[in-house]
């Protein structure tokens, strides 16, 4: 920061992260790939005359840091001036969260390899038709983050997360179906290896013999994985950034009904059920809980320091930073749809004919600005309130905004897939292309 | 910035250390990457980013399995430590001998006209401004314009225990324009990008205004579009549409790692008819200036042109060293990685369907009722069963052989091997697209291309019945 100011910045910010990563991939009981990594880096933001520049380096030698500071100032000179650019002032304190467990790093490698093997063994033992392992893995990452700015803010935290995932293929009569299972935890004993493997196996096996269906309009049920995918494309539209840029379907609709009364959407950096928890964001602003949609009514948007200044409000602690290589944008921490009180079975039970979607393809092609989506879908066909047979090769299309208003039922099975959480959800009607 | 990349002697020591306990093969990949990124939105140059990333990845292969470690400490101690950490994770059993390093001769060279580091930041900002200003004048419905510019200059050193030593430089630049248009409460977007294994001379060939015009007209056109139908119908993919279909429908399934894990519908089918006779599919690293082009892949294997499907018959797969070794074959130069943080895996370069004999206009004229795709968006494939989807970014209904009206909101769904059998016509033209392909959490720059092609039938996933 001192260097940046020496080169001409009025205020500056430094963001340093050090991280360690371990990934173990097992196939047929053998460690097929093992990855161990350490990295560190620095990102410097320099502000002068309302112009913000950014530079980063993974080389932390004194010369490299000096060069990076001067580069940040050089970049600032080319940026447009904007009076809302700035850094947060120091905060009185930060929430205490249980995010670091030294036992994760200290546990021997062999135990973690064994955990990955258990994931695979449980999946393969679930059903003889589970014949191919695409990946069964253990992951852990440790990170130590420091943020400081020349207004006096200085904060640091450490976090460690561990978990596993499985992608298994079931085969029968020349038909191959893939299933996926995943879990993350803050403590090693909380990782349920067998459950991860069995979930992937079950999701693959239930799809064997899938057929195509005719195009029709029917009620549709999304499982938590699929609904979490849809929430992922909804999240950008609920940021102040998108609203201010005219890139949100929710712009100008605060206080209005944007979803059915069953829809409550929350962002919370304090909820440790998701791996997006942290005491503060990429600018050092304390994390908090923000209710974005309350019983269908649009209640708030997410902000970082810049978008909040532009809006005349306070940052919600959503200045997300991918790594030291990027500037803080606005993004969710843990983003989830609050659970309802029905069981998933009840949600499906009174559907005469419908589609229970367990896999979607091409979710990344959905348009976060217009909210339009059209995705490939596979799952189970519902007949007389029961899951009748598997379906593949279908497509479903619509608009994520409309989807919120058409949510008829929300189940009680909220589950986090990484940092996005969703329960099973039922949509009144959707066009299913066969 | 002064950055000292390690010398050959150090790399040789690192390799010896890596095979100290066990292993058949080891390699080290050292990278220095300089990037500049500029984003303009709301008429403001909002993001000015520059950075340097340096690091090295060390890999040991033992009995077909691999251990990979990386560090961004390139000092003697840093690299030797990283090698020791990797070694601790390998088993016992005596490592192979490490041969002396000898430089590998480059098979060809790509000329970079205007290297990004020789161009002042202000001139790059000007390119961004030109695109922004042009897109904003396209019409009153244009509500937001985002222009992104990025250049990367990547220097790599690759050395392995077979004695191969490669130094390579890759220069890529990219300009993308995203336009948001709004009318009567309806929001639509239009996207266009230009990029290549090139310096800034790219923008003399493809002016920023041209990229902006395409993005803006696409957004405005889609405001006038009707919702796409849902159901099965013939589809014409224009050569301007990019190559997402070939990338998803067959490219991924021909990557040797997926084939060997029996995760591909194309496994064990070499020599079989997997596509209609007019279909020839090629993956080519050697095309000058294309986004997925390369001189050496990220394992130091020279780039080449690889025929995957020849006149409908499956001819070969795309291999990296590890997968090639398992079959006693040579790598096809498809071993690529996002950065030193990732191990190499088989990836596409520039993948395309070769031009055929049909007149593109005649292909459209032959359709009674169907969909014309002028631009494809992203896509995804489940390689285990070949089911794929891709997005239609610009589409039109064809009625009685004529282009009738634009439609929006469609995704096309199909099955790779089935769709390739359904190709009824292949045009004489060829158009390229650029993209970042994601696989196993790694993104790499790729090109794809195809002529205008007619498919007998695909599932169109729109919102209108019928």
């Amino acid at each position: 920061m001192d260097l940046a100011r020496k080169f001409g910045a009025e205020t500056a910010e430094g963001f340093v992260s050090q991280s360690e990563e371990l990934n173990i991939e097992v196939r047929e009981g053998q460690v097929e790939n093992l990855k161990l990594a350490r990295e560190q880096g620095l990102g410097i933001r320099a502000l002068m005359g309302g112009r913000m520049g950014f530079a980063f380096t993974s080389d932390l030698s004194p010369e490299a840091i000096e060069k990076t500071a001067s580069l940040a100032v050089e970049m600032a000179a080319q940026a447009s001036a904007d009076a809302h650019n700035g850094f947060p002032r120091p905060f009185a304190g930060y929430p205490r969260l249980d995010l670091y467990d030294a036992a994760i790093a200290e546990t021997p490698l062999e135990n973690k390899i064994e955990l990955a093997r258990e994931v695979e063994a449980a999946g393969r033992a679930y059903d003889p038709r589970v014949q191919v392992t695409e990946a069964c893995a253990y992951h852990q990452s440790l990170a130590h983050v420091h943020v400081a700015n020349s207004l006096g803010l200085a904060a640091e935290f450490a976090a460690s997360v561990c978990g596993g995932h499985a992608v298994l293929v079931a085969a029968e009569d020349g038909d191959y179906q893939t299933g996926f299972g995943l879990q993350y935890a803050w403590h090693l004993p909380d990782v349920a290896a067998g459950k991860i493997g069995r979930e992937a196996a079950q999701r693959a096996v239930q799809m064997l013999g899938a057929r195509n269906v005719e195009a029709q309009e029917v009620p549709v049920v999304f499982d938590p994985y699929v609904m979490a995918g849809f929430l992922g494309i909804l999240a950008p539209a609920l940021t102040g950034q998108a609203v201010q840029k005219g890139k949100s379907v929710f712009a100008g609709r605060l206080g209005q009904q944007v979803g059915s009364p069953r829809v409550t959407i929350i962002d919370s950096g304090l909820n440790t059920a998701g791996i997006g928890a942290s005491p503060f964001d990429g600018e050092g602003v304390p994390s908090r809980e923000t209710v974005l949609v309350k019983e269908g009514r649009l209640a708030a948007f997410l902000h970082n320091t810049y978008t909040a200044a532009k809006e005349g409000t306070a940052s919600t602690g959503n200045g997300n930073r991918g790594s030291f290589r990027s500037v803080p944008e606005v993004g969710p921490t843990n983003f989830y749809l609050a659970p309802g009180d029905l069981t998933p079975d009840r949600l499906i039970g009174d559907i005469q004919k419908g589609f229970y979607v367990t896999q979607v393809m091409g979710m990344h092609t959905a348009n976060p600005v217009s909210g339009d989506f059209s995705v490939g879908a596979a799952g189970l066909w519902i007949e007389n309130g029961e899951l009748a047979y598997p379906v593949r090769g279908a497509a479903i299309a619509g608009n994520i905004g409309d989807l919120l208003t058409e949510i008829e039922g929300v189940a009680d099975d909220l589950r986090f897939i990484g940092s996005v959480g969703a329960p099973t959800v039922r949509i009144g009607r959707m066009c299913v292309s066969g | 910035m002064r950055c000292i990349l390690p010398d050959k002697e150090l790399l040789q020591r690192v390799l010896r250390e890596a095979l100290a306990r066990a292993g058949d093969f080891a390699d080290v990949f050292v990278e220095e990457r300089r990037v500049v990124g500029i984003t303009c939105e709301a008429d403001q140059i909002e993001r000015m980013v520059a950075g340097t990333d340096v690091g090295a990845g060390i890999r040991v292969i033992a009995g077909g399995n691999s251990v990979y470690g990386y560090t961004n400490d390139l000092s003697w101690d840093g690299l030797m430590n990283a090698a020791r950490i990797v070694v601790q994770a390998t088993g016992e059993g005596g490592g192979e001998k490490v041969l002396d390093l000898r430089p590998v001769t480059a098979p060809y060279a790509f000329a970079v006209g205007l290297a990004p580091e020789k161009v002042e930041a202000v001139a790059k900002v000007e390119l961004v401004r030109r695109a922004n200003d042009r897109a904003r004048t396209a019409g009153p419905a244009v509500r937001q314009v985002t222009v992104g510019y990025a250049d990367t200059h990547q220097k790599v050193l690759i050395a392995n225990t077979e004695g191969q030593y490669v130094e390579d430089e890759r220069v890529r630049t990219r300009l993308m324009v995203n336009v948001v248009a709004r009318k009567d409460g309806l929001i639509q977007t239009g996207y266009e990008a230009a990029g290549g294994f090139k310096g800034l001379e790219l923008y003399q060939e493809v002016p920023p205004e041209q990229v902006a015009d395409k993005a803006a007209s696409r957004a405005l056109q889609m405001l006038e579009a009707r919702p796409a139908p849902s159901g099965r119908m013939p589809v014409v993919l224009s050569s301007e549409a990019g190559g997402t279909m070939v990338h998803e429908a067959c490219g991924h399934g021909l990557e040797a790692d997926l084939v060997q894990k029996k995760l591909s519908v194309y496994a064990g089918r070499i020599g079989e008819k997997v596509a209609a006779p007019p279909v020839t599919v090629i993956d080519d690293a050697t095309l000058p200036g294309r986004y997925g082009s390369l001189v050496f892949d990220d394992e130091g294997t020279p780039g080449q042109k690889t025929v995957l499907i020849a006149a409908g018959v499956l001819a070969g797969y795309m291999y990296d060293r590890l997968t090639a070794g398992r079959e006693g074959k040579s790598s096809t130069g498809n071993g690529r990685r996002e950065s030193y943080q990732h191990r190499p895996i088989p990836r596409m370069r520039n993948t395309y369907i070769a031009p055929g004999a049909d007149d593109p206009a005649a292909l459209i004229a032959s359709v009674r009722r169907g969909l014309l795709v002028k631009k494809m968006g992203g896509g995804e494939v489940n390689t285990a069963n070949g089911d794929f989807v891709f997005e239609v970014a610009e589409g039109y209904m064809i009625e009685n052989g004529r282009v009738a009206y634009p439609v929006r909101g469609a995704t096309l769904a199909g099955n790779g091997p089935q769709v390739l059998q359904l190709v009824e016509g292949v045009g004489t033209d060829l158009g390229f697209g650029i993209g970042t392909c994601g696989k196993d959490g790694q993104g790499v720059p790729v090109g794809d291309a195809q002529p205008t092609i007619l498919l007998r039938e695909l599932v169109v996933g729109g919102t209108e019945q019928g």
Side-chain angles (χ1 to χ4, degrees):
Chain A
M1 292 173 328
D2 291 340
L3 285 166
R5 287 163 75 184
K6 187 184 102 187
F7 291 115
E10 287 147 14
T11 45
E13 171 200 74
F15 176 93
V16 176
S17 69
Q18 290 161 300
S19 60
E20 273 184 46
E21 189 195 341
L22 170 65
N23 269 298
I24 303 166
E25 276 179 37
V26 164
R27 247 162 66 82
E28 315 282 342
Q30 293 260 3
V31 178
E32 190 181 52
N33 287 297
L34 190 145
K35 179 167 149 184
L36 297 146
R38 274 187 195 157
E39 87 167 5
Q40 54 184 21
L42 162 71
I44 298 176
R45 285 200 292 169
L47 183 62
M48 50 181 201
R51 299 168 192 272
M52 184 79 88
F54 176 75
F56 69 86
T57 178
S58 63
D59 179 356
L60 296 188
S61 66
E63 315 86 87
I65 292 174
E66 178 157 351
K67 176 73 192 170
T68 304
S70 96
L71 206 49
V73 174
E74 205 177 298
M75 290 291 115
Q78 297 300 328
S80 302
D82 185 331
H84 303 298
N85 274 324
F87 302 114
R89 300 203 162 270
F91 294 88
Y94 290 104
R96 288 180 170 276
L97 301 171
D98 172 28
L99 305 181
Y100 188 80
D101 180 357
I104 293 178
E106 287 157 11
T107 302
L109 184 65
E110 201 44 52
N111 300 23
K112 295 165 185 170
I113 292 173
E114 199 42 50
L115 196 149
R117 285 194 180 116
E118 273 174 49
V119 170
E120 184 184 38
R124 299 291 286 261
Y126 176 84
D127 190 296
R129 291 170 293 178
V130 179
Q131 289 172 0
V132 181
T133 302
E134 183 169 335
C136 280
Y138 168 81
H139 319 275
Q140 81 180 35
S141 65
L142 313 173
H144 199 156
V145 169
H146 304 250
V147 192
N149 67 39
S150 58
L151 302 179
L153 181 147
E156 63 173 295
F157 81 95
S160 55
V161 70
C162 55
H165 85 265
V167 186
L168 295 168
V169 179
E172 187 174 46
D173 303 332
D175 181 20
Y176 291 86
Q177 296 292 342
T178 312
F180 183 72
L182 166 93
Q183 192 210 342
Y184 284 105
W186 302 101
H187 305 286
L188 207 44
D190 296 340
V191 179
K195 212 171 145 193
I196 296 168
R198 282 191 296 276
E199 178 175 34
Q202 184 245 328
R203 291 173 70 91
V205 167
Q206 72 180 10
M207 289 302 299
L208 284 170
R211 8 175 166 154
N212 292 312
V213 286
E214 292 293 309
Q216 53 196 296
E217 210 178 291
V218 289
V220 169
V221 176
F222 293 145
D223 81 357
Y225 276 103
V226 172
M227 190 60 210
F230 280 103
L231 287 175
I233 53 171
L234 179 69
L238 289 168
T239 65
Q241 197 167 28
V243 170
Q244 291 167 5
K245 301 274 172 59
K247 299 203 308 194
S248 169
V249 288
F250 300 116
R253 298 184 64 192
L254 267 183
Q256 293 180 17
Q257 201 72 19
V258 297
S260 92
R262 290 178 180 80
V263 175
T264 291
I265 297 171
I266 296 167
D267 179 83
S268 174
L270 306 176
N271 187 338
T272 53
I275 61 168
S278 69
F280 55 83
D281 70 1
E283 298 181 292
V285 177
S287 296
R288 54 178 249 191
E289 179 181 291
T290 306
V291 178
L292 296 161
V293 177
K294 187 167 189 195
E295 292 165 359
R297 200 176 55 82
L298 184 61
F301 293 112
L302 301 176
H303 287 289
N304 65 8
T305 301
Y306 169 81
T307 64
K310 199 164 179 172
E311 209 61 44
T313 177
S315 167
T316 54
N318 289 89
N320 265 14
R321 210 153 184 158
S323 78
F324 65 87
R325 298 177 182 86
S326 54
V327 295
E329 303 288 351
V330 188
T333 55
N334 288 307
F335 187 82
Y336 63 100
L337 177 66
D341 49 15
L342 291 174
T343 63
D345 287 347
R346 284 282 306 279
L347 220 52
I348 294 168
D350 59 350
I351 295 176
Q352 283 300 309
K353 191 171 79 166
F355 188 20
Y356 176 65
V357 184
T358 59
Q359 293 175 16
V360 288
M361 264 207 289
M363 191 67 98
H364 67 287
T365 66
N367 189 323
V369 177
S370 65
D372 290 340
F373 65 85
S374 175
V375 294
L380 299 158
W381 201 250
I382 304 167
E383 274 179 357
N384 302 318
E386 299 201 348
L387 301 175
Y389 55 86
V391 168
R392 69 189 264 197
I396 51 174
N399 182 281
I400 184 79
D402 298 341
L403 205 66
L404 290 185
T405 63
E406 286 156 19
I407 290 180
E408 279 186 345
V410 177
D412 57 4
D413 57 342
L414 169 64
R415 149 155 203 206
F416 276 86
I417 319 297
S419 62
V420 183
T424 302
V425 159
R426 175 166 144 185
I427 312 294
R429 295 200 87 71
M430 279 189 90
C431 202
V432 178
S433 314
Chain B
M1 198 179 312
R2 195 175 53 97
C3 177
I4 305 160
L5 293 181
D7 59 15
K8 262 206 242 177
E9 192 198 340
L10 171 52
L11 295 182
Q12 182 116 18
R13 282 286 301 273
V14 166
L15 291 170
R16 277 204 200 101
E17 182 67 34
L19 289 194
R21 277 196 0 187
D24 315 311
F25 173 84
D27 62 3
V28 52
F29 176 86
V30 183
E31 174 182 12
E32 180 202 305
R33 184 194 297 253
R34 283 154 200 263
V35 303
V36 169
I38 303 170
T39 310
C40 177
E41 201 168 39
D43 250 338
Q44 304 260 311
I45 301 294
E46 276 195 343
R47 302 261 184 276
M48 286 292 305
V49 173
T52 305
D53 214 342
V54 291
I58 299 166
R59 174 174 66 156
V60 175
I61 297 176
N65 299 321
S66 79
V67 176
Y68 190 74
Y70 71 82
T71 177
N72 40 36
D73 181 354
L74 295 191
S75 67
W76 184 284
D77 286 346
L79 283 173
M80 292 303 277
N81 273 335
R84 280 181 208 116
I85 291 172
V86 170
V87 167
Q88 278 169 23
T90 63
E92 296 283 350
E96 281 290 311
K97 210 171 119 216
V98 180
L99 300 178
D100 287 338
L101 295 179
R102 296 170 318 276
V104 179
T105 313
Y108 47 84
F110 294 136
V112 170
L114 202 52
E117 64 265 31
K118 297 212 173 97
V119 178
E120 293 282 334
V122 62
K124 297 173 186 174
V125 169
E126 182 54 28
L127 290 172
V128 170
R129 283 267 180 222
R130 279 167 57 193
N132 177 66
D133 294 351
R134 179 67 157 243
R136 286 191 173 271
T137 56
V142 171
R143 291 302 170 87
Q144 189 55 272
V145 174
T146 309
V147 181
Y149 165 89
D151 61 54
T152 64
H153 184 167
Q154 184 198 25
K155 282 185 198 169
V156 301
L157 303 181
I158 304 160
N160 66 37
T161 50
E162 290 174 6
Q164 285 158 338
Y165 175 77
V166 165
E167 291 182 13
D168 193 21
E169 291 192 36
R170 294 88 178 254
V171 172
R172 288 191 173 88
T173 75
R174 187 171 63 91
L175 182 77
M176 73 91 189
V177 179
N178 196 54
V179 174
V180 180
R182 185 175 195 139
K183 195 174 135 190
D184 305 333
L186 179 69
I187 297 184
Q188 288 293 309
T189 62
Y191 174 85
E192 181 68 19
F197 190 123
K198 274 186 186 176
L200 277 89
E201 72 274 19
L202 173 66
Y203 307 106
Q204 287 152 17
E205 297 152 30
V206 186
E209 288 82 3
Q210 185 183 319
V211 182
D213 285 347
K214 281 193 181 169
S217 70
R218 193 161 289 140
L220 296 173
Q221 184 77 267
M222 288 303 110
L223 278 183
E224 307 302 323
R226 304 186 206 173
S230 74
R232 289 170 187 270
M233 62 190 71
V235 172
V236 175
L237 301 174
S238 158
S239 64
E240 299 159 60
T244 314
M245 201 277 291
V246 61
H247 182 98
E248 302 297 348
C250 87
H252 279 298
L254 298 175
E255 292 166 341
D257 53 340
L258 298 172
V259 171
Q260 290 176 352
K261 288 182 181 178
K262 299 194 173 57
L263 289 170
S264 167
V265 280
Y266 298 102
R269 300 188 60 190
I270 295 282
E272 287 181 28
K273 201 174 159 302
V274 295
V279 177
T280 288
V281 178
I282 292 166
D283 182 71
D284 194 348
T286 69
L287 303 167
R290 293 293 171 192
Y291 205 51
S293 297
L294 41 87
V295 177
F296 289 101
D297 73 1
D298 296 320
E299 299 181 295
T301 305
Q304 54 166 268
K305 177 175 173 174
T306 310
V307 177
L308 303 172
I309 296 174
V313 175
L314 185 60
Y317 304 119
M318 290 173 275
Y319 293 92
D320 63 354
R321 276 181 157 274
L322 185 61
T323 53
R326 284 188 188 133
E327 294 180 25
K329 291 196 163 90
S330 297
S331 166
T332 52
N334 288 85
R336 303 183 64 192
R337 49 179 129 202
E338 180 178 313
S339 72
Y340 66 89
Q341 298 168 325
H342 303 274
R343 71 189 171 92
I345 51 175
R347 302 301 294 265
M348 286 175 256
R349 301 163 303 201
N350 301 299
T351 313
Y352 61 95
I353 297 179
D358 298 309
D359 172 16
L363 292 177
I364 296 172
S366 72
V367 175
R368 201 176 61 79
R369 181 174 181 275
L371 185 76
L372 169 66
V373 180
K374 271 285 231 351
K375 187 73 186 176
M376 291 186 254
E380 188 175 347
V381 64
N382 176 343
T383 58
N385 59 25
D387 285 353
F388 71 87
V389 295
F390 64 84
E391 181 195 12
V392 178
E394 184 180 348
Y396 300 84
M397 286 307 292
I398 304 172
E399 285 176 350
N400 300 318
R402 285 162 188 260
V403 180
Y405 53 88
V407 290
R408 62 183 161 82
T411 285
L412 300 184
N415 180 274
Q418 282 172 19
V419 163
L420 292 180
Q421 301 282 6
L422 296 176
V423 173
E424 294 201 324
V426 178
T428 51
D429 49 351
L430 186 67
F432 279 84
I434 71 163
T436 299
C437 166
K439 175 178 168 187
D440 291 359
Q442 300 193 43
V444 297
V446 295
D448 44 39
Q450 59 156 68
T452 297
I453 59 174
L454 168 63
L455 298 164
R456 193 185 313 150
E457 182 182 271
L458 271 183
V459 171
V460 178
T463 53
E464 294 296 296
Q465 283 275 19

